[in-house]
Amino acid sequence: QSLKGENTNKNDKVEETKEASVEEPQAKKLKLEAEEKDKAGKQDGKRLRGQNKSRPHVKPTTYDEKRLCLFSLLQENRECTFGDKCHFHHDIAEYLATKPADIGESCYLYDTFGKCAFGVTCRYAKAHTTPDLKTMENAELIKTYEGRSTVKNSLSKDLQNSLRKRSVPFKKSAEYLKTLSNNKDKREHSPNFSCRTSLISGIDMTPPVKTVGPLTDEDVIKLRPCEKKQVDFQDKLYLAPLTTCGNLPFRRVCKRFGADITCGEMAMCTNLLQGQQSEWALLKRHESEDVFGVQVEGCFPDTMTRVAELINNNTDVDFVDINSGCPIDLVYQKGGGCGLMTRTRKFEQIIKGMNYVLDVPLTVKIRTGVQEKSNIAHKLIPEMKNWGVSMITLHGRSREQRYTKLADWDYISTCSKLASPVPLFGNGDILSYEDAMKARETGVSGIMIARGALIKPWIFTEIKESRHWDISSSERLDVLRDFSNFGLEHWGSDTRGVEKTRTFMLEWLSFMCRYIPVGLLERVPQKINERPPYYMGRNYLESLMASQNVGDWVRISEMLLGPIPKNFNFLPKHKANAYK
């Protein structure tokens, strides 16, 4: 009984302590409106930093409430096979009543190619539509573009279906991967092992074919796999592969200003092998891009070798680049991007495998290392020379640094000497021709420009002409007008294409707004990591282009692409760009 009494006393005490510890929850704080937030002020006077993660994905169909049925658009006097179940308009007059107002009087596609494929759905339809709603054509212009495709490397439906069914043969990749599996437990005794196996498999034992006419070397001697197409990288200006912003219309703008080498946006190898249309769009090449490469990202030798063979057989490129410098967590945690720099065994297998299946040069883009004060690029570069890399690009920052600190050009200079005779391109913080001249003094073979091209795409002209260009706001608006025209050509001139062009223009304007006109600078040139105080431009447009408020970027886009739809939404990539 005494024990029971003690237990009850203990329980009472525990309950009392619990009741004492449980307090009433605090009342919820009211969410401040934007104006009240401004009055309250920011904590410690700090600006917002970092990315707006998990931005809302806007579907392409968001801005089209009810579209025109393709049977009505393309096949006249034919009934829709879906009948009453079809969700689209079949009466053109009914569709035009709900269609948003036209943006302008002249259609860029009609004026350039003599025909607009979007017909009455085009947002500039007045320029090429007759009173009886027929689409006009300019026969002379159509003849000039007949049989000529301005954009290459599109994904065909047959190839897409074959990739989805996994019926595409990868013969060369299978040969290489077989050698890997045979040597899984033992290391290769000589560095030229894979080269020897490739040479043996490449030798054709059949006797030479008798030819009519003069006998040439090509009739008797077959080209060895190591005798690939060569690209002259020396002293070239290289536009970096830029995710989101480095799209085809933007590359065309940079090409006009003098970029020598262009490269597609980073493509995931697994998505390419699955035949994803959105990923294959990153490999597209415009006819103006004379030296063009594609950049792929992956972390395993089998997928990377197969995707290299796929690109080699189905696209027209001058080189293929491996991304081993991507700092994004999603990529790094899987072992890709910067993660490859620390997985040298896998990295070696990837480079040798891709070299085995490619007929074009293989290049690599790396950073100084992963940790901030632990550079490893100087150890990797001599090894990559032996693995068969044709060119190396070194970004002078580590993964941890991102963009907060300046690029280490002294380290790039050291690495360029180690890389010789393999060309090494330097990358980081180039925003003027003076920066480019200092970079060339380090002994690099060429310069890669990334953010500098986003802030001022005319940097290529400045470097080639060795001058500071005090470009006017109207000239900058013309650059954006060219981009909008190229965007309408690439993504389409209907509502969907116009809004896609607008979105990519706003992404670009988030960088372009950082440009400070040369005529307003106290000290020339502008440095890439410097942020100016608020300033007024020499005219209204210049002040508007200097604004870092998203609303002002939208206003600039409305000057070129008409008013935004009612349900339009755009959240900038970086929080810092959203401050007022």
Side-chain angles (χ1 to χ4, degrees):
Q1 283 179 348
S2 61
L3 284 169
K4 283 181 183 178
E6 284 176 15
N7 287 337
T8 52
N9 290 336
K10 279 181 182 177
N11 290 336
D12 291 340
K13 285 177 184 177
V14 169
E15 283 175 13
E16 282 174 16
T17 51
K18 275 186 182 178
E19 284 174 11
S21 63
V22 175
E23 295 176 0
E24 284 189 16
Q26 289 181 355
K28 284 187 177 179
K29 291 180 181 178
L30 291 170
K31 195 173 182 181
L32 294 172
E33 294 296 324
E35 290 176 10
E36 289 176 23
K37 276 185 182 178
D38 290 343
K39 286 175 188 175
K42 292 166 187 168
Q43 289 182 351
D44 305 326
K46 288 183 180 177
R47 272 175 52 190
L48 293 167
R49 295 183 69 185
Q51 290 188 356
N52 279 318
K53 293 188 177 177
S54 64
R55 291 193 293 167
H57 175 66
V58 179
K59 291 182 180 178
T61 51
T62 305
Y63 305 115
D64 276 345
E65 289 182 6
K66 203 171 180 184
R67 293 163 62 210
L68 187 64
C69 181
L70 284 172
F71 281 93
S72 304
L73 184 63
L74 302 174
Q75 300 170 352
E76 295 174 7
N77 303 321
R78 271 194 64 180
E79 285 188 12
C80 176
T81 52
F82 295 98
D84 296 334
K85 292 179 182 178
C86 184
H87 295 290
F88 303 114
H89 281 295
H90 293 93
D91 184 4
I92 294 177
E94 191 183 326
Y95 165 75
L96 290 174
T98 60
K99 180 192 162 190
D102 276 8
I103 296 166
E105 297 294 324
S106 64
C107 174
Y108 174 76
L109 300 183
Y110 178 72
D111 295 343
T112 309
F113 303 103
K115 182 182 179 180
C116 179
F118 295 90
V120 291
T121 62
C122 174
R123 292 294 299 276
Y124 304 84
K126 285 179 187 174
H128 49 73
T129 307
T130 57
D132 57 342
L133 305 178
K134 303 284 182 188
T135 304
M136 294 189 291
E137 292 183 3
N138 186 331
E140 289 179 14
L141 281 172
I142 290 170
K143 271 186 182 179
T144 57
Y145 283 93
E146 198 173 357
R148 173 181 156 195
S149 60
T150 55
V151 178
K152 302 172 186 175
N153 302 346
S154 297
L155 175 64
S156 65
K157 275 289 172 192
D158 292 337
L159 179 60
Q160 189 179 37
N161 291 333
S162 300
L163 287 167
R164 285 175 176 174
K165 292 173 184 176
R166 297 185 181 179
S167 59
V168 177
F170 296 103
K171 291 178 184 177
K172 276 193 170 184
S173 301
E175 284 173 25
Y176 174 75
L177 294 169
K178 197 175 180 181
T179 62
L180 276 187
S181 59
N182 291 341
N183 300 295
K184 195 175 181 182
D185 301 324
K186 53 185 178 181
R187 293 205 174 192
E188 294 166 3
H189 296 294
S190 65
N192 297 321
F193 174 77
S194 63
C195 186
R196 284 208 308 274
T197 52
S198 64
L199 286 172
I200 291 162
S201 63
I203 293 169
D204 190 3
M205 301 306 288
T206 54
V209 180
K210 287 184 179 179
T211 58
V212 178
L215 192 69
T216 63
D217 287 345
E218 286 180 21
D219 296 317
V220 183
I221 307 161
K222 271 205 157 190
L223 288 176
R224 292 178 297 161
C226 56
E227 292 174 345
K228 297 178 179 180
K229 177 187 174 183
Q230 297 299 311
V231 176
D232 180 21
F233 292 110
Q234 201 66 33
D235 287 329
K236 293 282 196 294
L237 294 176
Y238 185 171
L239 173 65
L242 301 157
T243 307
T244 308
C245 294
N247 45 62
L248 187 140
F250 175 74
R251 296 199 305 268
R252 284 181 69 183
V253 169
C254 291
K255 199 73 197 162
R256 278 191 169 188
F257 282 116
D260 297 314
I261 304 170
T262 53
C263 188
E265 299 171 62
M266 179 184 76
M268 303 282 189
C269 66
T270 46
N271 294 349
L272 292 173
L273 290 169
Q274 288 166 7
Q276 287 188 19
Q277 187 76 50
S278 57
E279 210 72 19
W280 274 82
L282 306 177
L283 309 185
K284 286 185 179 179
R285 171 186 191 168
H286 191 260
E287 62 179 2
S288 63
E289 297 179 274
D290 47 357
V291 183
F292 172 78
V294 295
Q295 189 184 65
V296 289
E297 180 280 321
C299 45
F300 298 107
D302 55 343
T303 51
M304 288 291 272
T305 307
R306 287 190 188 106
V307 87
E309 189 174 354
L310 187 67
I311 289 166
N312 193 64
N313 297 338
N314 298 286
T315 62
D316 177 19
V317 295
D318 297 306
F319 64 92
V320 175
D321 187 62
I322 300 172
N323 184 332
S324 52
C326 181
I328 298 168
D329 293 337
L330 180 73
V331 174
Y332 176 74
Q333 284 164 6
K334 288 180 181 176
C338 272
L340 278 177
M341 293 182 71
T342 54
R343 300 165 70 229
T344 49
R345 187 77 200 285
K346 281 277 183 278
F347 201 6
E348 180 186 359
Q349 291 171 351
I350 287 168
I351 290 172
K352 286 185 176 179
M354 290 179 79
N355 247 331
Y356 181 72
V357 299
L358 283 172
D359 295 330
V360 292
L362 179 69
T363 66
V364 177
K365 186 173 187 288
I366 59 173
R367 283 178 178 255
T368 57
V370 179
Q371 278 80 30
E372 191 172 339
K373 292 176 182 176
S374 178
N375 293 339
I376 56 171
H378 63 283
K379 296 174 186 174
L380 262 178
I381 287 167
E383 290 186 51
M384 286 197 286
K385 282 165 66 177
N386 297 329
W387 299 340
V389 169
S390 299
M391 193 264 277
I392 300 163
T393 306
L394 178 59
H395 184 177
R397 293 183 181 86
S398 65
R399 177 183 179 265
E400 283 185 355
Q401 275 179 283
R402 294 292 175 99
Y403 300 98
T404 52
K405 293 182 181 177
L406 296 175
D408 188 351
W409 276 92
D410 294 329
Y411 183 67
I412 293 172
S413 176
T414 307
C415 290
S416 69
K417 288 164 189 168
L418 289 170
S420 183
V422 174
L424 184 135
F425 273 55
N427 172 222
D429 299 339
I430 294 169
L431 191 60
S432 66
Y433 87 88
E434 288 180 22
D435 294 333
M437 294 303 288
K438 284 176 187 174
R440 279 178 174 159
E441 287 169 13
T442 60
V444 292
S445 305
I447 300 161
M448 177 183 271
I449 302 171
R451 284 183 301 163
L454 291 171
I455 294 167
K456 44 185 259 193
W458 52 92
I459 187 173
F460 300 103
T461 306
E462 288 190 349
I463 292 168
K464 289 190 171 180
E465 296 178 4
S466 299
R467 67 184 177 101
H468 295 295
W469 183 358
D470 187 10
I471 189 167
S472 66
S473 54
S474 57
E475 285 175 307
R476 284 156 66 195
L477 190 66
D478 288 338
V479 172
L480 289 169
R481 186 174 282 109
D482 286 341
F483 176 83
S484 65
N485 288 336
F486 297 155
L488 294 172
E489 183 186 330
H490 186 58
W491 291 302
S493 59
D494 57 345
T495 302
R496 189 185 290 194
V498 166
E499 295 313 319
K500 199 162 192 178
T501 305
R502 191 194 305 275
T503 303
F504 283 108
M505 183 185 284
L506 292 171
E507 295 282 6
W508 180 20
L509 282 168
S510 70
F511 287 93
M512 210 178 183
C513 66
R514 298 184 197 174
Y515 171 70
I516 309 166
V518 174
L520 300 180
L521 288 170
E522 289 182 359
R523 170 182 48 76
V524 178
Q526 177 189 353
K527 295 295 178 185
I528 203 162
N529 278 10
E530 289 177 349
R531 293 287 183 275
Y534 299 113
Y535 67 91
M536 292 292 288
R538 291 165 289 191
N539 54 42
Y540 170 73
L541 186 58
E542 199 163 78
S543 300
L544 190 68
M545 285 183 164
S547 171
Q548 300 210 353
N549 181 13
V550 187
D552 292 326
W553 306 342
V554 172
R555 206 173 303 163
I556 293 166
S557 78
E558 287 182 319
M559 292 178 184
L560 303 165
L561 296 167
I564 56 171
K566 289 177 185 176
N567 56 343
F568 181 80
N569 181 31
F570 176 76
L571 189 69
K573 199 170 192 177
H574 297 280
K575 290 176 184 174
N577 290 331
Y579 80 91
K580 292 185 180 182

